[in-house]
Amino acid sequence: MEHGSFSDLSKSSFSLTDEDHTLANSIRFTLNQDPRVTFCGYSIPHPSDNRVNIRIQTTGEPATDIMKDACQDLMLVCKHVRETFDQAVVDFKKSNNDMDVN
């Protein structure tokens, strides 16, 4: 859910339910790599609350667009990590085919 201003689209807060530090810190890291982002941070309101609040301030572009771009970038990074891991497993099994590795 987005909590933003209709008058200034460059600043917005997003509330993600059923998430924790794992996703929030990954999105924060990805957003901070974007030169269009002037501020990004996240908080978890309470440890027993499965919710994360992410705040974004940009150089002028809509924060919603930049959040979508960051999520797309993060998905590409995850895809690359998965493909690299899968290939490493295949390579390991080929190099150790005389061993019984499951």
Side-chain angles (χ1 to χ4, degrees):
M1 171 183 291
E2 180 180 1
H3 306 283
S5 168
F6 291 114
S7 61
D8 187 0
L9 299 177
S10 68
K11 299 173 184 147
S12 196
S13 294
F14 300 87
S15 182
L16 307 176
T17 56
D18 296 327
E19 296 299 341
D20 60 11
H21 289 284
T22 305
L23 180 64
N25 196 40
S26 299
I27 291 175
R28 182 202 55 82
F29 177 81
T30 305
L31 283 164
N32 280 326
Q33 301 302 309
D34 192 326
R36 302 172 294 173
V37 175
T38 57
F39 172 81
C40 176
Y42 78 90
S43 65
I44 295 180
H46 191 273
S48 66
D49 190 6
N50 289 335
R51 183 167 45 101
V52 172
N53 296 323
I54 300 175
R55 176 74 176 168
I56 304 171
Q57 295 178 358
T58 71
T59 57
E61 293 189 42
T64 303
D65 294 345
I66 293 177
M67 177 68 153
K68 288 178 186 175
D69 291 346
C71 290
Q72 290 290 330
D73 291 345
L74 186 57
M75 286 184 352
L76 290 173
V77 168
C78 290
K79 181 181 176 188
H80 173 73
V81 168
R82 179 62 188 247
E83 289 170 352
T84 303
F85 176 79
D86 289 344
Q87 186 59 48
V89 169
V90 168
D91 293 345
F92 177 80
K93 286 182 177 182
K94 282 182 184 176
S95 68
N96 296 305
N97 60 5
D98 59 337
M99 296 170 48
D100 185 31
V101 179
N102 291 326

XYZ file of all heavy atoms in Angstrom:
805
model
N 0.843 -1.157 0.000
C 0.000 0.000 0.000
C 0.895 1.229 0.000
O 1.883 1.285 0.711
C -0.906 -0.011 1.226
C -1.678 1.271 1.407
S -2.690 1.305 2.891
C -3.922 0.120 2.459
N 0.544 2.200 -0.798
C 1.330 3.425 -0.880
C 0.666 4.521 -0.059
O -0.546 4.694 -0.091
C 1.454 3.877 -2.334
C 2.259 5.140 -2.496
C 2.377 5.593 -3.940
O 1.812 4.932 -4.818
O 3.024 6.616 -4.164
N 1.487 5.248 0.676
C 1.032 6.412 1.422
C 1.848 7.582 0.911
O 3.005 7.737 1.277
C 1.263 6.245 2.930
C 0.670 4.999 3.488
N -0.669 4.867 3.736
C 1.229 3.813 3.826
C -0.905 3.660 4.224
N 0.239 3.002 4.279
N 1.272 8.364 0.035
C 2.018 9.465 -0.551
C 1.186 10.714 -0.648
O 0.028 10.761 -0.249
N 1.784 11.714 -1.215
C 1.130 12.994 -1.390
C 0.720 13.149 -2.848
O 1.482 12.809 -3.756
C 2.106 14.118 -1.007
O 1.608 15.361 -1.425
N -0.449 13.662 -3.078
C -0.879 13.914 -4.449
C -0.203 15.160 -5.014
O -0.078 15.316 -6.216
C -2.407 14.065 -4.525
C -3.133 12.784 -4.262
C -3.933 12.639 -3.143
C -3.027 11.707 -5.126
C -4.602 11.456 -2.892
C -3.685 10.516 -4.886
C -4.486 10.400 -3.761
N 0.263 16.039 -4.151
C 0.897 17.270 -4.622
C 2.376 17.082 -4.933
O 2.938 17.799 -5.756
C 0.724 18.382 -3.583
O 1.346 18.010 -2.367
N 3.047 16.121 -4.291
C 4.463 15.873 -4.530
C 4.686 14.377 -4.691
O 4.837 13.644 -3.714
C 5.311 16.425 -3.381
C 6.798 16.355 -3.666
O 7.178 15.875 -4.757
O 7.581 16.783 -2.803
N 4.721 13.924 -5.939
C 4.851 12.493 -6.224
C 6.262 11.963 -6.011
O 6.489 10.768 -6.083
C 4.409 12.212 -7.663
C 2.957 12.564 -7.994
C 2.671 12.311 -9.465
C 2.002 11.779 -7.119
N 7.206 12.871 -5.746
C 8.595 12.433 -5.573
C 8.878 11.891 -4.175
O 9.970 11.392 -3.913
C 9.556 13.575 -5.881
O 9.445 14.583 -4.896
N 7.912 11.976 -3.274
C 8.076 11.477 -1.904
C 6.917 10.552 -1.592
O 5.757 10.915 -1.776
C 8.075 12.634 -0.909
C 9.188 13.611 -1.142
C 9.053 14.803 -0.248
C 10.141 15.802 -0.600
N 9.724 17.156 -0.411
N 7.253 9.377 -1.116
C 6.187 8.428 -0.813
C 6.673 7.376 0.166
O 7.862 7.088 0.260
C 5.725 7.757 -2.109
O 4.491 7.127 -1.928
N 5.727 6.808 0.894
C 5.992 5.683 1.793
C 5.155 4.504 1.336
O 4.013 4.667 0.903
C 5.627 6.038 3.234
O 6.469 7.046 3.720
N 5.738 3.330 1.437
C 5.066 2.101 1.030
C 5.020 1.163 2.226
O 6.014 1.006 2.935
C 5.824 1.431 -0.123
C 5.941 2.295 -1.341
C 6.997 3.187 -1.468
C 5.005 2.228 -2.347
C 7.123 3.995 -2.578
C 5.118 3.029 -3.476
C 6.178 3.919 -3.581
N 3.879 0.549 2.439
C 3.710 -0.409 3.529
C 3.523 -1.797 2.912
O 2.570 -2.024 2.171
C 2.496 -0.024 4.374
O 2.365 -0.905 5.451
N 4.454 -2.693 3.214
C 4.407 -4.050 2.674
C 4.030 -5.004 3.795
O 4.721 -5.087 4.810
C 5.764 -4.437 2.101
C 6.374 -3.477 1.084
C 7.755 -3.941 0.676
C 5.481 -3.328 -0.121
N 2.940 -5.726 3.619
C 2.495 -6.661 4.644
C 3.133 -8.033 4.425
O 3.526 -8.385 3.313
C 0.966 -6.803 4.649
O 0.532 -7.196 3.347
C 0.294 -5.499 5.017
N 3.228 -8.785 5.494
C 3.809 -10.132 5.497
C 5.245 -10.142 4.984
O 5.661 -11.075 4.305
C 2.942 -11.107 4.689
C 1.579 -11.306 5.303
O 1.482 -11.258 6.553
O 0.606 -11.508 4.554
N 6.001 -9.103 5.297
C 7.412 -9.025 4.915
C 8.249 -8.652 6.132
O 7.719 -8.211 7.146
C 7.629 -8.012 3.782
C 6.953 -8.388 2.482
C 7.433 -9.709 1.893
O 8.525 -10.184 2.264
O 6.712 -10.276 1.064
N 9.562 -8.830 5.993
C 10.461 -8.543 7.101
C 11.743 -7.896 6.573
O 11.771 -7.386 5.456
C 10.745 -9.805 7.916
C 11.383 -10.915 7.100
O 11.812 -10.660 5.956
O 11.469 -12.044 7.605
N 12.810 -7.961 7.383
C 14.078 -7.329 7.017
C 14.656 -7.874 5.718
O 15.352 -7.142 5.006
C 15.111 -7.525 8.135
C 14.832 -6.730 9.359
N 15.076 -5.379 9.435
C 14.347 -7.099 10.560
C 14.757 -4.947 10.639
N 14.304 -5.970 11.347
N 14.396 -9.121 5.402
C 14.997 -9.734 4.223
C 14.650 -8.962 2.959
O 15.532 -8.521 2.218
C 14.556 -11.204 4.085
O 14.868 -11.902 5.288
C 15.229 -11.870 2.904
N 13.380 -8.780 2.704
C 12.965 -8.046 1.506
C 13.221 -6.553 1.657
O 13.694 -5.899 0.721
C 11.490 -8.297 1.196
C 10.976 -7.576 -0.049
C 11.682 -8.092 -1.302
C 9.476 -7.721 -0.189
N 12.932 -5.999 2.821
C 13.070 -4.554 3.018
C 14.508 -4.088 2.808
O 14.748 -3.077 2.131
C 12.583 -4.161 4.406
N 15.460 -4.802 3.365
C 16.854 -4.399 3.215
C 17.327 -4.577 1.778
O 18.107 -3.771 1.269
C 17.750 -5.183 4.179
C 19.099 -4.546 4.328
O 19.226 -3.326 4.391
N 20.121 -5.365 4.380
N 16.842 -5.596 1.094
C 17.194 -5.804 -0.316
C 16.650 -4.682 -1.190
O 17.353 -4.169 -2.069
C 16.661 -7.151 -0.800
O 17.224 -8.198 -0.064
N 15.405 -4.295 -0.954
C 14.821 -3.190 -1.721
C 15.531 -1.883 -1.391
O 15.839 -1.082 -2.284
C 13.306 -3.083 -1.465
C 12.580 -4.277 -2.088
C 12.750 -1.778 -2.019
C 11.111 -4.331 -1.802
N 15.828 -1.667 -0.120
C 16.541 -0.449 0.284
C 17.891 -0.361 -0.413
O 18.270 0.677 -0.949
C 16.731 -0.407 1.794
C 17.423 0.859 2.290
C 18.061 0.656 3.659
N 18.979 -0.468 3.694
C 20.257 -0.413 3.278
N 20.756 0.688 2.782
N 21.012 -1.485 3.363
N 18.616 -1.473 -0.432
C 19.921 -1.501 -1.092
C 19.780 -1.176 -2.580
O 20.533 -0.361 -3.128
C 20.590 -2.864 -0.907
C 21.902 -2.976 -1.618
C 23.054 -2.459 -1.052
C 21.981 -3.587 -2.861
C 24.267 -2.542 -1.720
C 23.186 -3.675 -3.533
C 24.338 -3.154 -2.963
N 18.812 -1.810 -3.248
C 18.598 -1.585 -4.673
C 18.205 -0.135 -4.940
O 18.711 0.486 -5.888
C 17.512 -2.539 -5.206
O 17.889 -3.886 -4.895
C 17.341 -2.403 -6.700
N 17.338 0.410 -4.109
C 16.924 1.807 -4.289
C 18.092 2.765 -4.095
O 18.224 3.749 -4.829
C 15.796 2.152 -3.313
C 14.423 1.634 -3.683
C 13.491 1.681 -2.470
C 13.835 2.426 -4.837
N 18.938 2.492 -3.123
C 20.070 3.383 -2.871
C 21.113 3.340 -3.978
O 21.951 4.234 -4.059
C 20.711 3.074 -1.514
C 19.923 3.687 -0.378
O 19.345 4.757 -0.511
N 19.895 2.998 0.746
N 21.077 2.336 -4.850
C 21.970 2.287 -6.004
C 21.479 3.180 -7.145
O 22.232 3.486 -8.060
C 22.095 0.840 -6.520
C 22.617 -0.141 -5.510
C 23.983 0.229 -4.978
O 24.893 0.488 -5.747
N 24.116 0.266 -3.664
N 20.235 3.602 -7.087
C 19.619 4.410 -8.140
C 19.957 5.886 -7.922
O 19.646 6.444 -6.870
C 18.097 4.211 -8.113
C 17.400 4.768 -9.333
O 17.842 5.798 -9.867
O 16.396 4.159 -9.744
N 20.577 6.549 -8.905
C 20.941 7.962 -8.730
C 19.730 8.899 -8.619
O 19.884 10.041 -8.186
C 21.772 8.274 -9.973
C 21.439 7.225 -10.964
C 21.015 6.012 -10.183
N 18.550 8.422 -8.971
C 17.346 9.253 -8.858
C 16.815 9.310 -7.431
O 15.937 10.116 -7.125
C 16.251 8.723 -9.781
C 16.648 8.664 -11.246
C 15.605 7.957 -12.070
N 15.535 6.543 -11.669
C 14.618 5.697 -12.128
N 13.694 6.114 -12.983
N 14.615 4.444 -11.724
N 17.354 8.469 -6.549
C 16.885 8.397 -5.165
C 17.769 9.282 -4.286
O 18.984 9.140 -4.272
C 16.905 6.942 -4.655
C 16.550 6.863 -3.187
C 15.940 6.087 -5.475
N 17.130 10.201 -3.553
C 17.878 11.058 -2.622
C 17.821 10.519 -1.198
O 18.709 10.793 -0.403
C 17.333 12.498 -2.637
O 15.943 12.484 -2.306
C 17.525 13.132 -4.006
N 16.776 9.773 -0.878
C 16.658 9.160 0.445
C 15.838 7.885 0.330
O 14.832 7.839 -0.377
C 15.974 10.102 1.442
C 15.667 9.436 2.754
C 16.645 9.290 3.713
C 14.404 8.911 3.010
C 16.378 8.644 4.917
C 14.125 8.274 4.206
C 15.110 8.148 5.160
N 16.274 6.874 1.050
C 15.508 5.641 1.153
C 15.822 5.002 2.490
O 16.982 4.891 2.885
C 15.858 4.684 0.022
S 15.011 3.112 0.202
N 14.796 4.596 3.174
C 14.965 3.904 4.441
C 13.749 3.054 4.716
O 12.713 3.195 4.076
N 13.900 2.159 5.669
C 12.749 1.338 6.031
C 12.692 1.163 7.537
O 13.678 1.354 8.241
C 12.783 -0.026 5.324
C 13.721 -1.041 5.914
C 13.289 -1.917 6.896
C 15.036 -1.146 5.479
C 14.148 -2.861 7.436
C 15.897 -2.085 6.005
C 15.446 -2.943 6.982
O 16.292 -3.879 7.507
N 11.502 0.830 8.001
C 11.315 0.543 9.414
C 10.290 -0.570 9.556
O 9.442 -0.775 8.687
C 10.845 1.782 10.177
O 9.563 2.169 9.731
N 10.412 -1.254 10.665
C 9.420 -2.256 11.038
C 8.758 -1.709 12.300
O 9.428 -1.539 13.321
C 10.068 -3.635 11.267
C 10.636 -4.134 9.943
C 9.068 -4.607 11.853
C 11.309 -5.471 10.005
N 7.458 -1.395 12.212
C 6.794 -0.721 13.332
C 6.904 -1.464 14.664
O 7.120 -0.848 15.699
C 5.336 -0.622 12.896
C 5.361 -0.765 11.421
C 6.550 -1.606 11.093
N 6.773 -2.782 14.625
C 6.841 -3.571 15.850
C 7.287 -4.981 15.474
O 6.861 -5.508 14.448
C 5.464 -3.621 16.540
C 5.524 -4.188 17.920
N 5.442 -5.538 18.162
C 5.673 -3.585 19.127
C 5.540 -5.757 19.458
N 5.680 -4.587 20.073
N 8.126 -5.615 16.283
C 8.624 -6.958 15.939
C 7.534 -8.002 15.704
O 7.718 -8.920 14.920
C 9.493 -7.344 17.136
C 9.888 -6.064 17.760
C 8.753 -5.105 17.512
N 6.414 -7.863 16.370
C 5.349 -8.853 16.177
C 4.432 -8.505 15.005
O 3.527 -9.269 14.688
C 4.516 -8.983 17.451
O 3.809 -7.787 17.699
N 4.677 -7.363 14.371
C 3.864 -6.914 13.238
C 4.603 -7.262 11.956
O 5.693 -6.749 11.709
C 3.640 -5.401 13.340
C 2.624 -4.886 12.358
O 1.993 -5.703 11.666
O 2.466 -3.655 12.285
N 4.036 -8.154 11.134
C 4.674 -8.553 9.878
C 4.430 -7.500 8.804
O 3.777 -7.748 7.801
C 4.156 -9.916 9.415
C 4.658 -11.030 10.278
O 5.699 -10.902 10.902
N 3.927 -12.123 10.325
N 4.996 -6.327 9.038
C 4.807 -5.220 8.105
C 6.097 -4.409 8.062
O 6.791 -4.257 9.061
C 3.649 -4.345 8.561
C 3.322 -3.218 7.622
C 1.981 -2.591 7.967
N 1.807 -2.361 9.392
C 1.961 -1.174 9.984
N 2.282 -0.131 9.273
N 1.774 -1.052 11.277
N 6.387 -3.902 6.868
C 7.571 -3.076 6.655
C 7.124 -1.780 6.004
O 6.307 -1.792 5.078
C 8.577 -3.806 5.730
C 9.715 -2.907 5.345
C 9.083 -5.058 6.384
N 7.648 -0.670 6.490
C 7.398 0.626 5.870
C 8.675 1.086 5.177
O 9.733 1.133 5.800
C 6.986 1.661 6.917
C 5.683 1.290 7.578
O 4.778 0.770 6.948
N 5.582 1.543 8.866
N 8.565 1.405 3.892
C 9.705 1.887 3.116
C 9.412 3.317 2.671
O 8.365 3.586 2.089
C 9.967 0.996 1.891
C 10.256 -0.437 2.334
C 11.114 1.552 1.049
C 10.417 -1.417 1.200
N 10.342 4.218 2.954
C 10.204 5.631 2.591
C 11.177 5.941 1.465
O 12.360 5.592 1.544
C 10.508 6.518 3.800
C 10.495 7.999 3.511
C 9.092 8.500 3.330
N 9.103 9.951 3.153
C 8.089 10.643 2.756
N 6.930 10.051 2.515
N 8.168 11.953 2.612
N 10.675 6.601 0.414
C 11.497 6.972 -0.735
C 11.307 8.456 -1.023
O 10.180 8.951 -1.042
C 11.108 6.183 -2.000
C 11.188 4.680 -1.754
C 11.976 6.592 -3.181
C 10.620 3.861 -2.888
N 12.420 9.139 -1.259
C 12.399 10.517 -1.758
C 13.304 10.548 -2.981
O 14.400 9.987 -2.959
C 12.867 11.497 -0.694
C 11.934 11.557 0.492
C 12.425 12.489 1.588
O 13.480 13.082 1.501
N 11.639 12.601 2.640
N 12.846 11.191 -4.029
C 13.575 11.167 -5.297
C 13.974 12.580 -5.725
O 13.590 13.564 -5.099
C 12.706 10.543 -6.413
O 11.662 11.447 -6.761
C 12.112 9.215 -5.966
N 14.706 12.642 -6.824
C 15.134 13.923 -7.381
C 14.023 14.622 -8.142
O 14.222 15.729 -8.635
C 16.340 13.730 -8.316
O 15.966 12.804 -9.345
C 17.543 13.215 -7.560
N 12.881 14.004 -8.255
C 11.754 14.628 -8.938
C 10.844 13.648 -9.644
O 9.684 13.945 -9.908
N 11.360 12.486 -9.965
C 10.529 11.482 -10.626
C 9.576 10.849 -9.612
O 9.870 10.818 -8.416
C 11.408 10.411 -11.264
C 12.235 10.954 -12.415
C 12.926 9.855 -13.182
O 12.291 8.811 -13.426
O 14.085 10.050 -13.534
N 8.436 10.334 -10.083
C 7.489 9.708 -9.153
C 8.113 8.539 -8.388
O 8.734 7.656 -8.976
C 6.360 9.224 -10.061
C 6.450 10.070 -11.285
C 7.909 10.375 -11.450
N 7.936 8.550 -7.086
C 8.504 7.505 -6.230
C 7.934 6.133 -6.576
O 8.638 5.119 -6.476
C 8.254 7.836 -4.768
N 6.695 6.094 -7.006
C 6.068 4.823 -7.374
C 6.805 4.171 -8.535
O 7.051 2.965 -8.517
C 4.590 5.037 -7.751
O 3.920 5.652 -6.661
C 3.897 3.737 -8.089
N 7.169 4.964 -9.546
C 7.889 4.421 -10.699
C 9.255 3.889 -10.294
O 9.694 2.836 -10.762
C 8.055 5.490 -11.781
C 6.726 5.915 -12.394
O 5.715 5.202 -12.190
O 6.700 6.957 -13.074
N 9.927 4.617 -9.417
C 11.252 4.197 -8.977
C 11.161 2.940 -8.121
O 12.015 2.046 -8.215
C 11.975 5.354 -8.266
C 12.262 6.447 -9.307
C 13.236 4.889 -7.582
C 12.891 7.686 -8.771
N 10.124 2.830 -7.315
C 9.918 1.605 -6.516
C 9.688 0.416 -7.439
O 10.250 -0.666 -7.219
C 8.732 1.799 -5.570
C 8.406 0.578 -4.753
S 9.690 0.216 -3.546
C 8.744 -0.632 -2.316
N 8.888 0.595 -8.473
C 8.652 -0.492 -9.433
C 9.950 -0.885 -10.122
O 10.230 -2.077 -10.295
C 7.617 -0.062 -10.478
C 6.210 0.020 -9.949
C 5.251 0.496 -11.027
C 3.872 0.725 -10.475
N 2.955 1.290 -11.487
N 10.756 0.103 -10.522
C 12.040 -0.188 -11.164
C 12.956 -0.969 -10.223
O 13.629 -1.912 -10.636
C 12.740 1.109 -11.602
C 12.035 1.800 -12.754
O 11.167 1.180 -13.401
O 12.370 2.981 -13.008
N 12.987 -0.572 -8.959
C 13.838 -1.257 -7.982
C 13.393 -2.705 -7.799
O 14.229 -3.610 -7.697
C 13.823 -0.516 -6.654
N 12.095 -2.938 -7.758
C 11.590 -4.314 -7.618
C 11.959 -5.152 -8.840
O 12.343 -6.318 -8.708
C 10.083 -4.307 -7.392
S 9.602 -3.678 -5.772
N 11.866 -4.558 -10.027
C 12.267 -5.262 -11.252
C 13.753 -5.583 -11.221
O 14.167 -6.690 -11.563
C 11.939 -4.420 -12.494
C 10.465 -4.299 -12.791
C 9.868 -5.607 -13.260
O 10.522 -6.437 -13.875
N 8.603 -5.816 -12.951
N 14.573 -4.606 -10.813
C 16.018 -4.830 -10.720
C 16.338 -5.938 -9.721
O 17.203 -6.786 -9.980
C 16.740 -3.542 -10.309
C 16.709 -2.478 -11.387
O 16.384 -2.801 -12.555
O 17.003 -1.304 -11.061
N 15.645 -5.928 -8.598
C 15.870 -6.957 -7.581
C 15.474 -8.340 -8.097
O 16.167 -9.334 -7.833
C 15.105 -6.614 -6.301
C 15.347 -7.504 -5.102
C 16.831 -7.545 -4.730
C 14.531 -7.018 -3.921
N 14.407 -8.410 -8.856
C 14.004 -9.696 -9.436
C 15.062 -10.199 -10.408
O 15.361 -11.403 -10.442
C 12.646 -9.570 -10.135
C 11.511 -9.478 -9.157
S 9.808 -9.437 -9.790
C 9.903 -9.290 -11.505
N 15.668 -9.303 -11.190
C 16.731 -9.702 -12.114
C 17.961 -10.204 -11.362
O 18.600 -11.174 -11.771
C 17.105 -8.539 -13.033
C 16.056 -8.143 -14.067
C 16.479 -6.872 -14.805
C 15.808 -9.277 -15.053
N 18.297 -9.539 -10.268
C 19.428 -9.980 -9.452
C 19.146 -11.376 -8.887
O 20.012 -12.258 -8.929
C 19.719 -8.972 -8.320
C 20.678 -9.548 -7.303
C 20.254 -7.670 -8.885
N 17.944 -11.584 -8.379
C 17.583 -12.894 -7.827
C 17.619 -13.975 -8.905
O 18.084 -15.096 -8.664
C 16.203 -12.840 -7.178
S 16.165 -11.871 -5.671
N 17.147 -13.638 -10.090
C 17.173 -14.588 -11.202
C 18.616 -14.956 -11.541
O 18.932 -16.127 -11.755
C 16.473 -13.988 -12.420
C 16.437 -14.895 -13.606
C 15.746 -14.252 -14.792
C 15.817 -15.181 -15.992
N 15.336 -14.538 -17.204
N 19.502 -13.965 -11.589
C 20.911 -14.224 -11.888
C 21.546 -15.118 -10.813
O 22.278 -16.063 -11.139
C 21.675 -12.913 -12.011
C 23.148 -13.106 -12.158
N 23.717 -13.577 -13.317
C 24.162 -12.917 -11.288
C 25.017 -13.672 -13.153
N 25.317 -13.268 -11.924
N 21.263 -14.828 -9.554
C 21.810 -15.634 -8.462
C 21.320 -17.076 -8.578
O 22.100 -18.030 -8.433
C 21.448 -15.030 -7.089
C 21.756 -15.987 -5.958
C 22.164 -13.706 -6.895
N 20.049 -17.248 -8.865
C 19.481 -18.597 -8.996
C 20.118 -19.356 -10.150
O 20.498 -20.526 -10.014
C 17.959 -18.515 -9.186
C 17.268 -19.844 -9.364
C 17.472 -20.702 -8.115
N 16.994 -22.030 -8.296
C 15.957 -22.542 -7.658
N 15.300 -21.818 -6.796
N 15.583 -23.770 -7.884
N 20.271 -18.690 -11.309
C 20.877 -19.341 -12.468
C 22.335 -19.701 -12.192
O 22.802 -20.778 -12.568
C 20.766 -18.439 -13.693
C 19.351 -18.314 -14.217
C 19.193 -17.232 -15.274
O 20.157 -16.453 -15.513
O 18.097 -17.153 -15.861
N 23.060 -18.812 -11.535
C 24.454 -19.067 -11.202
C 24.574 -20.241 -10.234
O 25.434 -21.120 -10.400
C 25.102 -17.810 -10.593
O 24.979 -16.726 -11.521
C 26.562 -18.024 -10.273
N 23.706 -20.276 -9.239
C 23.707 -21.386 -8.276
C 23.378 -22.707 -8.965
O 24.063 -23.720 -8.746
C 22.710 -21.103 -7.150
C 22.596 -22.239 -6.171
C 23.557 -22.425 -5.195
C 21.529 -23.118 -6.241
C 23.468 -23.478 -4.295
C 21.429 -24.168 -5.350
C 22.395 -24.346 -4.373
N 22.321 -22.703 -9.783
C 21.934 -23.934 -10.481
C 23.071 -24.448 -11.363
O 23.326 -25.654 -11.415
C 20.672 -23.709 -11.313
C 19.423 -23.548 -10.463
O 19.466 -23.899 -9.262
O 18.407 -23.059 -10.998
N 23.767 -23.542 -12.046
C 24.878 -23.951 -12.900
C 26.028 -24.507 -12.068
O 26.669 -25.470 -12.448
C 25.364 -22.779 -13.762
C 26.415 -23.177 -14.769
C 25.923 -24.244 -15.735
O 24.844 -24.138 -16.306
N 26.701 -25.314 -15.891
N 26.281 -23.898 -10.920
C 27.340 -24.390 -10.035
C 27.017 -25.797 -9.538
O 27.917 -26.645 -9.419
C 27.541 -23.441 -8.868
N 25.751 -26.066 -9.250
C 25.347 -27.414 -8.815
C 25.575 -28.413 -9.944
O 26.116 -29.507 -9.728
C 23.874 -27.426 -8.348
C 23.361 -28.842 -8.165
C 23.715 -26.621 -7.073
N 25.189 -28.052 -11.160
C 25.396 -28.933 -12.317
C 26.884 -29.199 -12.515
O 27.305 -30.346 -12.719
C 24.760 -28.322 -13.590
C 25.200 -29.065 -14.838
C 23.249 -28.319 -13.472
N 27.686 -28.144 -12.463
C 29.141 -28.298 -12.638
C 29.737 -29.183 -11.547
O 30.599 -30.021 -11.815
C 29.830 -26.930 -12.634
C 29.453 -26.088 -13.844
O 28.901 -26.643 -14.822
O 29.706 -24.867 -13.793
N 29.276 -29.001 -10.317
C 29.776 -29.819 -9.207
C 29.427 -31.287 -9.416
O 30.265 -32.167 -9.222
C 29.213 -29.311 -7.880
C 29.623 -30.148 -6.708
C 30.874 -29.986 -6.138
C 28.761 -31.097 -6.173
C 31.274 -30.760 -5.059
C 29.149 -31.872 -5.094
C 30.408 -31.710 -4.533
N 28.202 -31.554 -9.808
C 27.779 -32.939 -10.015
C 28.546 -33.584 -11.167
O 28.887 -34.763 -11.115
C 26.273 -33.009 -10.265
C 25.462 -32.783 -9.001
C 23.983 -32.914 -9.256
C 23.201 -32.746 -7.953
N 21.765 -32.901 -8.141
N 28.836 -32.811 -12.224
C 29.616 -33.350 -13.344
C 31.042 -33.675 -12.907
O 31.605 -34.684 -13.314
C 29.661 -32.341 -14.492
C 28.415 -32.299 -15.312
C 28.565 -31.301 -16.452
C 27.291 -31.155 -17.234
N 27.401 -30.123 -18.280
N 31.615 -32.818 -12.099
C 33.005 -33.042 -11.678
C 33.125 -34.133 -10.626
O 34.212 -34.647 -10.395
C 33.625 -31.748 -11.155
O 33.014 -31.369 -9.943
N 32.028 -34.483 -10.008
C 32.038 -35.516 -8.963
C 31.058 -36.644 -9.309
O 30.398 -37.175 -8.424
C 31.656 -34.907 -7.614
C 32.671 -33.899 -7.150
O 33.844 -34.208 -7.060
N 32.211 -32.697 -6.892
N 31.005 -37.003 -10.579
C 30.019 -38.019 -10.990
C 30.304 -39.400 -10.416
O 29.441 -40.252 -10.389
C 29.877 -38.085 -12.500
C 31.175 -38.448 -13.186
O 32.168 -38.744 -12.523
N 31.157 -38.418 -14.506
N 31.534 -39.661 -9.949
C 31.802 -40.950 -9.339
C 31.308 -41.020 -7.900
O 31.186 -42.092 -7.333
C 33.300 -41.266 -9.406
C 34.143 -40.201 -8.706
O 33.663 -39.072 -8.573
O 35.279 -40.536 -8.322
N 30.996 -39.845 -7.324
C 30.462 -39.806 -5.970
C 28.937 -39.799 -6.046
O 28.358 -39.313 -7.001
C 30.934 -38.539 -5.241
C 32.435 -38.498 -5.044
S 33.045 -36.917 -4.451
C 31.972 -36.534 -3.105
N 28.292 -40.297 -5.035
C 26.827 -40.294 -4.983
C 26.392 -39.026 -4.291
O 26.266 -38.963 -3.079
C 26.302 -41.529 -4.262
C 24.794 -41.611 -4.315
O 24.212 -41.131 -5.303
O 24.216 -42.142 -3.355
N 26.140 -37.952 -5.072
C 25.724 -36.661 -4.532
C 24.283 -36.414 -4.928
O 23.938 -36.405 -6.100
C 26.628 -35.522 -5.081
C 26.165 -34.185 -4.532
C 28.076 -35.781 -4.721
N 23.405 -36.222 -3.957
C 21.989 -35.965 -4.246
C 21.596 -34.584 -3.853
O 21.862 -33.965 -2.998
C 21.086 -36.981 -3.545
C 21.262 -38.347 -4.158
O 21.490 -38.475 -5.345
N 21.154 -39.371 -3.333
